[in-house]
């Protein structure tokens, strides 16, 4: 007799979801997962701000990129797995809550990583999150025979890399940077290795929504960090920070507009899907770094930092430039609007030059405002049949990338 789904044992109930499932949207559990990651993002941005304000720029940037990799990679793997296999049963909820607990452990270790270079707590929290995903992948292997090989490849690959992270804790300090790069490379190669026999049934629109929601979360952190920094200055009686606050808000609004200006599509080709998904590391990290940079600029205006005006200006300009370049690569370049590409690249160049003059934050805000106008014009012109070029397609007929 064939068992119904409800009669299956718990480890066989995780079947793949339909990639064309209608009305698929983020679940309350996914939103709760994102909310708990806010703590880790806030810790990373706040400690970057503190370290840069103290003048430890190279050290701060390196440690920030490592910390944010752990945050982003754990979030991304949960997101793509949930898009394909979210059964919302009791076991799945428990493994997700374990991942949330790991995220909170990771967040608690961020200050020590910045001040002392001690990544032990972050590593433990990260490994807790990743080991919980192994349970999910084993369940997927048992419940989805069509993708069993893929799921087992994921489980095995994740396990091996986690052993590497734990062994890294015993290495001398001189090896930590090199070992991090090696293990981070191993992490990002696991999906490319695992998905090769056949891609898991993730939902394209659901993935786009999830990435958009996390972008909003990181933008919210920029607003929070900027607001707290400016409030501190105003409480101290510095009313000159109002214009800086206005410029910071304009930057946040522009970053939001540029990301959500047009609907996005994700290719169902593995290489292009990975490029789009991985590229968001720079989107998320740069947005959070903009908040830290604005806080550094506030400290400089209050003579409460150990960095020059040039450094404070670049603390905002560099992450903004990275954001615009990455957004162009992920969302803009496939629209076949050469003049919009020129506008993006000119904006990047000018943004990197404005710290050499006065009021860099205000000028960055103006440049982003001009870029927003350019994107709006490109969208309106694109509605004309004569101005619309056909989107390139892959061998499967799907779009070659985000558009």
């Amino acid at each position: 007799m064939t068992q119904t789904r409800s009669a299956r044992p718990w480890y066989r109930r995780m079947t793949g979801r339909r990639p064309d499932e209608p009305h698929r949207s983020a679940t309350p559990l996914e939103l709760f997962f994102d909310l708990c990651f806010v703590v880790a993002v806030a810790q990373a941005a706040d400690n970057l701000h503190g370290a840069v304000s103290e003048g430890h720029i190279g050290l701060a940037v390196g440690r920030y990129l490592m910390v944010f990799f752990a945050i982003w990679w754990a979030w991304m793997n949960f997101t793509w797995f949930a898009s394909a296999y979210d059964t919302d049963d009791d076991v799945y909820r428990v493994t997700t809550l374990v991942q949330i607990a790991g995220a909170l452990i990771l967040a608690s270790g961020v200050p020590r990583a910045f001040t002392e270079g001690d990544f032990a707590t972050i590593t433990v929290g990260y490994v807790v999150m990743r080991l919980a995903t192994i349970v999910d992948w084993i369940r997927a292997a048992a419940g989805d025979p069509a993708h069993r090989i893929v799921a087992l490849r994921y489980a095995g690959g994740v396990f091996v890399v986690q052993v590497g992270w734990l062994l890294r804790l015993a290495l001398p300090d001189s090896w930590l940077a090199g070992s991090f790069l090696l293990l981070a490379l191993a992490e990002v190669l696991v999906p490319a290795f695992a998905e090769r026999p056949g891609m898991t049934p993730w939902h394209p629109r659901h993935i786009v929504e999830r990435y958009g929601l996390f972008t909003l979360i990181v933008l919210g952190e920029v607003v929070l960090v900027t607001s707290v920094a400016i409030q501190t200055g105003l409480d101290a009686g510095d009313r000159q920070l109002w214009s800086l606050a206005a410029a910071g808000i304009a930057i946040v609004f522009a970053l939001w507009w540029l990301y959500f200006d047009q609907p996005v599509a994700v290719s169902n080709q593995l290489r292009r899907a990975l490029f789009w998904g991985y590229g968001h590391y720079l989107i998320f990290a740069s947005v959070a770094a903009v908040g830290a940079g604005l806080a550094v600029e506030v400290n400089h205006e209050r003579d409460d930092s150990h960095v020059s005006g040039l450094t404070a200006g670049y603390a905002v300009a560099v992450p903004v430039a990275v954001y615009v370049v990455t957004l162009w690569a992920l969302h803009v370049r496939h629209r076949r609007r050469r003049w919009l590409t020129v506008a993006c690249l000119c904006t990047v160049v000018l943004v990197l030059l404005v710290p050499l003059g006065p009021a860099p934050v205000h000028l960055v805000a103006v440049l982003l405002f001009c870029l927003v106008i350019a994107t709006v014009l490109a969208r309106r012109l694109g509605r004309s049949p004569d101005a619309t070029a056909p989107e390139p397609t892959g061998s499967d007929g799907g779009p070659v990338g985000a558009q």
Side-chain angles (χ1 to χ4, degrees):
M1 180 181 296
T2 303
Q3 287 182 312
T4 63
R5 179 176 177 179
S6 60
R8 293 178 180 176
W10 64 269
Y11 53 85
R12 291 185 179 175
R13 294 176 190 168
M14 186 162 278
T15 56
R17 300 185 64 154
R18 287 172 48 197
D20 60 346
E21 180 181 339
H23 311 298
R24 180 72 189 279
S25 60
T27 65
L29 182 59
E30 288 176 312
L31 297 177
F32 182 49
F33 185 87
D34 290 354
L35 180 64
C36 293
F37 264 72
V38 169
V39 179
V41 173
Q43 285 277 30
D46 184 60
N47 282 273
L48 175 64
H49 153 227
V52 172
S53 294
E54 292 295 323
H56 309 304
I57 299 169
L59 198 64
V61 172
R63 290 176 179 176
Y64 172 75
L65 293 176
M66 288 191 285
V67 168
F68 210 94
F69 175 85
I71 298 170
W72 161 76
W73 189 248
W75 176 88
M76 197 189 81
N77 279 265
F78 167 81
T79 296
W80 287 77
F81 179 89
S83 186
Y85 292 106
D86 181 2
T87 54
D88 198 31
D89 59 14
D90 294 336
V91 178
Y92 177 75
R93 290 184 175 188
V94 170
T95 56
T96 301
L97 294 177
V98 170
Q99 293 181 66
I100 291 174
L104 297 178
I105 295 172
L106 186 153
S108 68
V110 171
R112 182 171 294 179
F114 272 88
T115 58
E116 303 175 15
D118 182 358
F119 283 82
T121 303
I122 286 181
T123 301
V124 170
Y126 178 78
V127 171
V128 167
M129 288 188 287
R130 301 296 281 138
L131 291 180
T133 65
I134 295 177
V135 176
D136 287 337
W137 281 116
I138 292 175
R139 291 189 67 205
D144 185 9
H147 297 93
R148 180 167 296 161
I149 295 177
V150 176
L152 291 176
R153 283 190 172 202
Y154 266 113
V158 172
F159 177 78
V160 170
V161 180
Q162 301 324 295
V163 172
W165 286 117
L166 292 175
L167 293 176
R168 178 177 178 266
L169 296 177
L171 296 177
D173 293 343
S174 59
W175 291 20
L176 294 183
S179 60
F180 171 85
L181 293 175
L182 181 62
L183 289 168
L185 178 61
E187 287 277 18
V188 300
L189 287 177
V190 168
F193 162 75
E195 298 270 0
R196 191 165 296 277
M199 295 180 68
T200 51
W202 50 271
H203 195 291
R205 289 192 301 276
H206 177 250
I207 286 293
V208 169
E209 180 192 23
R210 297 290 293 118
Y211 272 73
L213 289 172
F214 200 73
T215 301
L216 291 175
I217 285 177
V218 182
L219 283 169
E221 287 304 309
V222 178
V223 174
L224 176 62
V225 170
T226 306
S227 176
V228 170
I230 291 173
Q231 177 186 346
T232 302
L234 295 177
D235 289 343
D238 189 350
R239 300 295 176 180
Q240 296 181 353
L241 292 177
W242 282 114
S243 64
L244 185 60
I249 292 172
I251 289 174
V252 174
F253 288 172
L255 297 181
W256 171 84
W257 192 297
L258 292 171
Y259 187 90
F260 294 100
D261 179 68
Q262 290 197 42
V264 174
V266 182
S267 173
N268 54 8
Q269 292 181 337
L270 177 60
R271 180 174 61 85
R272 299 186 185 279
L274 291 178
F275 178 79
W276 188 86
Y278 289 2
H280 273 74
Y281 167 70
L282 294 177
I283 293 286
F284 299 150
S286 62
V287 170
V290 168
L294 289 171
V296 171
E297 185 68 32
V298 170
N299 286 356
H300 174 71
E301 289 293 325
R302 297 180 55 218
D303 295 324
D304 192 23
S305 69
H306 297 84
V307 296
S308 65
L310 181 66
T311 300
Y314 274 114
V316 176
V318 170
V320 167
V322 171
Y323 177 87
V324 173
V325 168
T326 308
L327 200 63
W328 169 82
L330 299 181
H331 291 184
V332 176
R333 67 189 178 98
H334 299 293
R335 298 178 191 170
R336 293 187 175 181
R337 300 287 183 270
R338 290 185 179 179
W339 66 273
L340 184 56
T341 293
V342 171
C344 289
L345 298 181
C346 288
T347 299
V348 169
V349 172
L350 293 175
V351 163
L352 293 176
L353 290 176
V354 294
L356 301 175
V361 175
H362 300 76
L363 291 176
V364 168
V366 171
L367 290 170
L368 288 178
F369 177 75
C370 293
L371 185 58
V372 168
I373 293 176
T375 60
V376 172
L377 291 175
R379 170 163 38 85
R380 290 182 178 275
L381 292 174
R383 291 174 181 171
S384 169
D386 295 335
T388 303
E391 288 291 337
T393 57
S395 58
D396 55 1
V400 298
Q403 59 184 8

